[in-house]
Amino acid sequence: MWALRVLSGASAGKVFNLKSGKNLLGRAPHCDIQISSHGISKEHCEINVYADKIIITDLKSSNGTYLNGVRIQSAVMRFGDKMGAHDIVFEIIPEQTQRASVPVPMHGQAAPAVQYAQSPDLLAHPSDAVNPHLAEAPAAAPIPQYRNIFEQMNAQVQDFTERVVLPGIYKLPQWFEFRWVMGGFVVIFIFSVTLLSMIPTFRSAKESGIGESLRRAMSVARHLAEINQKAVLEGQIGNLSTHSAELEEGVKDVFIVQKSDGMILAPASRAGRTATEPFVHKARAEDRPLVEEIGSSEIGASAPIGQFDPATGLPSIKGYAIVIYDTSGLSLDQGRAISLFMQILVIASALGALLFFFLTKLVEKPVRELNSQLDHAMRERRDNIQIPYLYPDFQALIGNVNSLLARSLSADPQAATMGSGTGPEHQQEAMNFVNISGVPAIAIGADDSVWSHNDKFMDLTGWSGIGQSYHAIPDSALQQNFADLIKRCQEAPYISHSDHLEFSGHPCIVQATAFMSHGHPEFYMMTVLPDGGEL
């Protein structure tokens, strides 16, 4: 795994091990990486550690988050990169085998040995040389442990998606124009939504038709029982009539049966027969109205015919009015289904066209803006472009582009604007770190030349000599101090070193940090901090 080493400020030399997943950096007590500095926000930035990359995201901090001296919103951080939170600079290093932080040695003390764990190669820059301090680390990389079965299943699904599903999708923009690929997905979305919306529509229509059929069948059965009640109770079989019920729309069959033996009393054409339908037997066992589905498209309804018996206190049932109702008349026919499908398709197509328009504009806008800013940056020789879109991968791209611009400008002799002529590859990076420092700071190259310093350093020392050797500093004590710190950084380049010095009667601490490239110090950053007072 990985760790952050503090390179500047009061906590210089301290190491914070990073856990897999989210790591919160700030000065609030609940932060994983707590830095006590007024320039650091309570929740300054977030560092997300993945198996193959580390993404740093600024949390709208007051003083900004920097990567290799360039202010970023979100960017990919790799081994050897320098991250700045306001004026505090950090470096990404392999995780230490011991969790304890590394103390900053005082003058004359030996630098403590630091042992690092093996780091994955995926995060290293291709051009980075192998660090000799890492050669003796164990070769086995830690195997990730899943906290529960759901995380393991999620990882398997993501792996299957990346290996099997998405490769074919990624090929589509290579065969067709990107906007038409998006349009194809929108068309698929429109037809899928339309077809899927028909399922609940048909179901709702069917349930509504069945409900209406149940009410109609029960209403016809009750009306039939009411008009024939007197004839049934008085035994006047010849006066029974089912004609009015037979004329009702949707009625398939109607008859009146006797409770005792199930014999049909009316209509006259079926009188004397015994009703054998299962629904009739079920209705005769009930002394209350009954209605239910008896087939895929039929409803059975029965209404008892009788009167209340005051002697027993129970209804005296003599017969039942039976109605068989056909529900097909209320079902959604093919013509209505096609019409409904076309209506939904037209509405979905209109919304889909609007969605396609906004999606294409949403994709085109940041790309065009990035291209425009990159063109202006190259014309005006600027090393910083900013796109305010909150998308981690896009912000990571912006961070890499800014780093590339800074390094290309530093490597271009005609682009050096620091007044020092041709400079080392990381001279622009050193200038950025010095400028964001809130205390007097100076960057000294490996060849002893001064790459950059800020105004606070010039005010403190009264000397400005960019491009000259630091030995030209008028203050001989400061010269000797710098020489001693540089020597100690060369002997132990992976920790910060400090020494005491006095300016105008004020005790100060001079800190030195080596910035490495290809296993060797590229430049040294010196900062002057007050020791118990103000400068």
Side-chain angles (χ1 to χ4, degrees):
M1 293 298 292
W2 302 95
L4 275 185
R5 180 165 65 100
V6 185
L7 300 180
S8 65
S11 302
K14 192 171 184 179
V15 176
F16 297 92
N17 290 332
L18 301 175
K19 67 178 185 292
S20 179
K22 174 181 174 182
N23 297 265
L24 193 61
L25 185 150
R27 56 183 174 86
H30 64 272
C31 292
D32 303 294
I33 304 170
Q34 186 179 0
I35 302 296
S36 298
S37 173
H38 294 295
I40 303 294
S41 301
K42 291 183 179 179
E43 293 185 357
H44 196 95
C45 64
E46 182 178 295
I47 303 172
N48 288 282
V49 179
Y50 301 98
D52 59 343
K53 60 185 176 181
I54 297 176
I55 295 181
I56 175 174
T57 303
D58 183 73
L59 299 179
K60 298 181 180 180
S61 60
S62 301
N63 297 311
T65 302
Y66 300 80
L67 185 63
N68 296 325
V70 179
R71 186 164 184 169
I72 54 96
Q73 174 62 37
S74 181
V76 176
M77 191 176 183
R78 298 183 177 89
F79 175 59
D81 281 350
K82 309 299 186 298
M83 184 196 86
H86 184 40
D87 57 349
I88 307 298
V89 182
F90 304 84
E91 181 181 26
I92 185 71
I93 61 173
E95 183 182 24
Q96 297 183 14
T97 55
Q98 296 181 352
R99 305 290 295 188
S101 61
V102 180
V104 179
M106 303 303 293
H107 182 59
Q109 294 180 341
V114 181
Q115 185 178 5
Y116 297 102
Q118 178 69 16
S119 60
D121 295 333
L122 293 174
L123 291 177
H125 289 288
S127 60
D128 286 343
V130 177
N131 189 338
H133 292 272
L134 306 180
E136 300 178 358
I143 300 176
Q145 299 293 328
Y146 299 103
R147 285 178 292 182
N148 52 56
I149 188 64
F150 298 105
E151 290 187 0
Q152 186 173 2
M153 291 175 60
N154 182 52
Q156 292 175 350
V157 170
Q158 290 182 354
D159 180 67
F160 175 81
T161 303
E162 289 289 340
R163 289 187 300 102
V164 180
V165 179
L166 292 180
I169 302 298
Y170 294 149
K171 285 287 185 182
L172 293 177
Q174 301 176 18
W175 299 335
F176 309 99
E177 189 178 344
F178 187 78
R179 68 169 60 199
W180 299 124
V181 174
M182 294 179 59
F185 280 112
V186 171
V187 170
I188 294 174
F189 170 78
I190 291 172
F191 276 94
S192 300
V193 170
T194 302
L195 291 173
L196 292 176
S197 65
M198 295 300 293
I199 296 176
T201 301
F202 283 134
R203 181 178 300 172
S204 176
K206 182 180 179 180
E207 292 176 353
S208 178
I210 291 176
E212 181 63 23
S213 299
L214 291 172
R215 287 190 295 272
R216 287 189 179 184
M218 192 70 250
S219 177
V220 172
R222 284 176 174 171
H223 178 70
L224 182 63
E226 288 176 1
I227 63 175
N228 290 281
Q229 181 177 9
K230 182 178 180 180
V232 172
L233 294 177
E234 296 177 355
Q236 300 176 2
I237 305 302
N239 293 334
L240 297 177
S241 174
T242 60
H243 181 68
S244 61
E246 292 171 351
L247 295 178
E248 291 287 339
E249 182 182 0
V251 174
K252 184 177 182 181
D253 193 10
V254 58
F255 50 90
I256 298 174
V257 299
Q258 191 169 270
K259 177 177 175 60
S260 58
D261 54 6
M263 185 179 67
I264 298 177
L265 303 177
S269 59
R270 299 172 61 183
R273 301 178 187 176
T274 302
T276 58
E277 291 84 350
F279 177 72
V280 175
H281 293 294
K282 188 174 183 180
R284 289 169 54 205
E286 299 285 343
D287 291 335
R288 57 183 178 82
L290 177 66
V291 60
E292 63 180 23
E293 294 184 63
I294 59 175
S296 59
S297 61
E298 290 184 350
I299 297 290
S302 70
I305 302 175
Q307 63 182 1
F308 183 76
D309 187 354
T312 62
L314 298 174
S316 175
I317 307 301
K318 300 296 183 180
Y320 294 90
I322 305 295
V323 174
I324 307 299
Y325 194 88
D326 186 5
T327 62
S328 59
L330 296 176
S331 62
L332 194 64
D333 59 23
Q334 185 175 1
R336 293 174 60 189
I338 295 176
S339 175
L340 183 61
F341 174 81
M342 295 304 298
Q343 293 178 37
I344 297 177
L345 181 61
V346 169
I347 296 174
S349 298
L351 295 177
L354 193 62
L355 175 65
F356 173 70
F357 174 78
F358 285 120
L359 282 178
T360 53
K361 293 301 180 183
L362 192 62
V363 172
E364 290 173 356
K365 175 64 176 178
V367 175
R368 288 178 179 176
E369 191 169 340
L370 173 61
N371 186 47
S372 175
Q373 287 203 28
L374 187 58
D375 180 66
H376 284 85
M378 290 188 295
R379 291 175 183 271
E380 300 170 5
R381 297 194 178 280
R382 291 188 289 106
D383 63 344
N384 187 17
I385 60 176
Q386 293 184 355
I387 307 294
Y389 292 96
L390 300 178
Y391 186 64
D393 289 340
F394 194 76
Q395 289 295 335
L397 172 63
I398 299 301
N400 289 333
V401 170
N402 284 336
S403 297
L404 183 61
L405 285 173
R407 297 188 181 190
S408 64
L409 290 175
S410 299
D412 185 1
Q414 297 180 355
T417 59
M418 299 180 209
S420 58
T422 58
E425 179 183 355
H426 293 162
Q427 194 165 355
Q428 181 68 39
E429 184 179 325
M431 178 182 177
N432 291 333
F433 279 123
V434 168
N435 287 337
I436 67 174
S437 178
V439 296
I442 183 173
I444 300 175
D447 58 353
D448 293 344
S449 64
V450 176
W451 284 11
S452 178
H453 61 69
N454 57 16
D455 293 338
K456 292 185 177 182
F457 181 84
M458 187 172 63
D459 294 339
L460 180 67
T461 62
W463 179 78
S464 176
I466 296 178
Q468 303 179 31
S469 171
Y470 76 89
H471 295 290
I473 297 176
D475 191 330
S476 58
L478 186 60
Q479 280 187 45
Q480 183 62 36
N481 189 277
F482 282 177
D484 181 62
L485 289 173
I486 289 175
K487 181 178 180 181
R488 288 159 60 184
C489 285
Q490 292 172 345
E491 295 173 353
Y494 292 99
I495 61 175
S496 297
H497 302 271
S498 63
D499 203 349
H500 291 272
L501 192 64
E502 191 172 291
F503 280 98
S504 302
H506 298 285
C508 299
I509 298 177
V510 181
Q511 288 187 341
T513 302
F515 285 72
M516 309 297 292
S517 176
H518 303 286
H520 302 283
E522 184 72 19
F523 65 91
Y524 308 92
M525 183 172 173
M526 310 287 185
T527 55
V528 182
L529 304 173
D531 186 7
E534 297 183 356
L535 291 176

